[in-house]
């Protein structure tokens, strides 16, 4: 596959451009919105806080929002790249494979029937929901004569996503209080989330990011086929299990912070491979960076489309992700 950035100096330059874009988007997210501010106001909010509306908005709303978008976007991007590499499925995504739906279902169940409101509990419940749904999808996709195939994985993920959504809505109908608490969260948003949500899961995110980069080379070998990888001495089952754990950490922590946000992990790996080729280490790095870029840009756009109201960021990513999903799926079918 011919890439746009075909050597390491160009790839490093691309990272620098991406970081500059992230800084610019972070600045735009800080100063633009219902209340427009400026860079100096953002600095004064921390150095000379005076209790004004602008300072309160900067500290309590926009800074947490920027940090949440950066962390969640990077996590979803890396999770999508890892999932597509592991399953060899170009339409693989934590949303389409039911991991986000499972995590959200378990959180809604905990709120509705157990009354849990602890951030730490939310984190572990999200991890558990993502793990259970991922395992069910894997088992369903493995049934039948041909064993595990990308098509069966996609169908199993769609079925689990639909089942989890139906169960989730049924629980919320029975409990109006829970509906009020989680309705906006379920649509996916990085706004209205305090930093405590991110602080609770950030250590797991960092561990998963590092682990994904360390797994990049074994996964590159695994892409040659299980038989070849085993012939080269790789413990393929261990690599798959560790990769699954990383995906669960990334998807579960993202849902705990921002709710289920789809299609970021679908789009970013394709963009990353177009830019840097098939080297998994570069693909994972670029997928995380592009995930943050896309989520920040979507969050900024969500503030202006229906101003002064705000569109959930999950709806914004779907506007881009659904046509992209159709394009990728159609392209795959045309190759057959």
């Amino acid at each position: 596959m011919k890439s746009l950035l075909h050597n390491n100096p160009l790839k490093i330059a691309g990272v620098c451009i991406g970081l500059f874009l992230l800084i610019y988007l972070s600045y735009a997210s800080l100063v633009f919105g219902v209340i427009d501010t400026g860079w100096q106001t953002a600095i004064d909010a921390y150095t000379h806080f005076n209790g004004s509306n602008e300072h309160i908005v900067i500290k309590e709303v926009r800074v947490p929002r920027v940090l949440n978008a950066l962390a969640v976007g990077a996590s979803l991007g890396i999770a999508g790249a890892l999932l597509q590499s592991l399953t060899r499925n170009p339409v693989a995504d934590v949303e389409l494979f039911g991991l986000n739906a499972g995590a959200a279902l378990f959180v809604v169940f905990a709120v509705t029937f157990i009354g849990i409101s602890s951030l730490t509990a939310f984190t572990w419940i999200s991890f558990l929901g993502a793990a259970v749904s991922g395992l069910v999808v894997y088992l369903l996709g493995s049934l039948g004569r041909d064993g595990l195939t990308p098509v069966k994985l996609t169908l199993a993920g769609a079925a689990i996503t639909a089942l989890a959504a139906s169960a989730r809505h049924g629980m919320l109908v029975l409990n109006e209080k829970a509906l009020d608490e989680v309705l906006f969260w379920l649509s996916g948003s990085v706004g209205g989330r305090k930093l405590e949500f991110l602080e609770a899961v950030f250590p797991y995110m960092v561990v998963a990011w590092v682990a994904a980069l360390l797994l990049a080379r074994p996964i590159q070998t695994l892409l040659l086929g299980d038989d070849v990888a085993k012939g080269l001495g790789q413990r393929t089952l261990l690599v798959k299990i560790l990769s699954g754990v990383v995906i669960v950490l990334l998807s579960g922590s993202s849902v705990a912070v921002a709710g289920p946000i789809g299609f970021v992990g679908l789009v970013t790996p394709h963009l990353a491979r177009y830019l840097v080729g098939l080297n998994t280490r570069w693909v994972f790095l670029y997928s995380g960076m592009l995930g943050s870029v896309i989520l920040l840009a979507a969050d900024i756009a969500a503030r202006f489309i229906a101003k002064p109201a705000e569109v959930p960021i999950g709806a914004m990513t779907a506007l881009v992700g659904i046509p992209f999903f159709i394009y990728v799926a159609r392209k795959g079918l045309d190759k057959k």
Side-chain angles (χ1 to χ4, degrees), residues 4 9 11 24 26 38 49 54 58 70 83 91 186 215 221 253 257-258 276 304 317 331:
L4 188 63
K11 292 172 183 177
Y24 176 78
S26 298
F49 182 74
E54 290 82 0
I58 290 291
L70 289 170
L83 193 57
V91 297
L186 282 173
L215 285 168
T221 305
S253 57
V257 172
V276 298
F304 294 96
T317 57
K331 187 178 178 181

Side-chain angles (χ1 to χ4, degrees), residues 152-165:
K152 288 198 292 184
L153 270 176
T154 304
L155 293 174
I160 293 302
T161 299
L163 178 62

Side-chain angles (χ1 to χ4, degrees), residues 11-266:
K11 292 172 183 177
I12 293 172
V15 171
C16 294
I17 293 172
L19 292 176
F20 174 80
L21 186 57
L22 283 176
I23 292 171
Y24 176 78
L25 289 172
S26 298
Y27 166 75
S29 184
L30 278 176
V31 301
F32 296 130
V34 176
I35 300 177
D36 289 338
T37 60
W39 183 249
Q40 189 60 49
T41 304
I43 295 175
D44 290 343
Y46 285 89
T47 59
H48 301 93
F49 182 74
N50 59 18
S52 65
N53 288 339
E54 290 82 0
H55 284 188
I56 292 173
V57 166
I58 290 291
K59 291 189 70 172
E60 301 297 327
V61 178
R62 293 189 182 168
V63 168
R65 191 168 190 158
V66 169
L67 296 177
N68 286 338
L70 289 170
V72 172
S75 296
L76 291 175
I78 294 173
L82 188 55
L83 193 57
Q84 288 183 14
S85 298
L86 192 64
T87 62
R88 301 184 184 92
N89 187 343
V91 297
D93 178 39
V94 292
E95 178 72 15
L96 297 173
F97 272 35
L99 275 72
N100 281 356
L105 174 63
F106 273 54
V107 169
V108 170
F109 178 86
V111 172
T112 304
F113 294 107
I114 308 176
I116 289 177
S117 59
S118 165
L119 294 179
T120 303
F122 265 29
T123 302
W124 288 107
I125 291 168
S126 294
F127 289 158
L128 179 61
V132 170
S133 60
L135 181 61
V136 172
V137 168
Y138 181 83
L139 293 175
L140 289 176
S142 301
L143 296 176
R145 183 183 304 172
D146 298 328
L148 190 68
T149 65
V151 173
K152 288 198 292 184
L153 270 176
T154 304
L155 293 174
I160 293 302
T161 299
L163 178 62
S166 298
R168 198 169 63 223
H169 293 319
M171 293 178 194
L172 294 176
V173 168
L174 297 174
N175 190 328
E176 292 185 3
K177 182 180 178 182
L179 176 64
D180 294 337
E181 291 180 7
V182 302
L183 184 59
F184 193 74
W185 173 80
L186 282 173
S187 62
S189 176
V190 294
R193 308 292 197 271
K194 296 182 178 179
L195 273 181
E196 287 83 349
F197 283 86
L198 181 60
E199 291 171 354
V201 301
F202 190 68
Y204 305 108
M205 285 182 169
V206 173
V207 169
W209 296 343
V210 174
L213 292 176
L214 293 176
L215 285 168
R217 182 169 293 178
I219 289 176
Q220 186 85 56
T221 305
L222 194 62
L223 288 173
L224 300 174
D226 284 12
D227 293 337
V228 174
K230 289 177 181 177
L232 294 172
Q234 185 182 96
R235 300 168 65 182
T236 56
L237 180 59
L238 179 61
V239 172
K240 292 178 180 179
I241 290 174
L242 291 176
S243 300
V245 171
V246 171
I247 292 169
V248 167
L249 287 176
L250 292 172
S251 60
S253 57
S254 298
V255 170
V257 172
I261 297 176
F263 300 104
V264 174
L266 169 66

Side-chain angles (χ1 to χ4, degrees), residues 313-328:
I313 195 172
M316 295 299 302
T317 57
L319 286 176
V320 177
I322 290 175
F324 194 88
F325 170 78
I326 295 171
Y327 167 75
V328 173

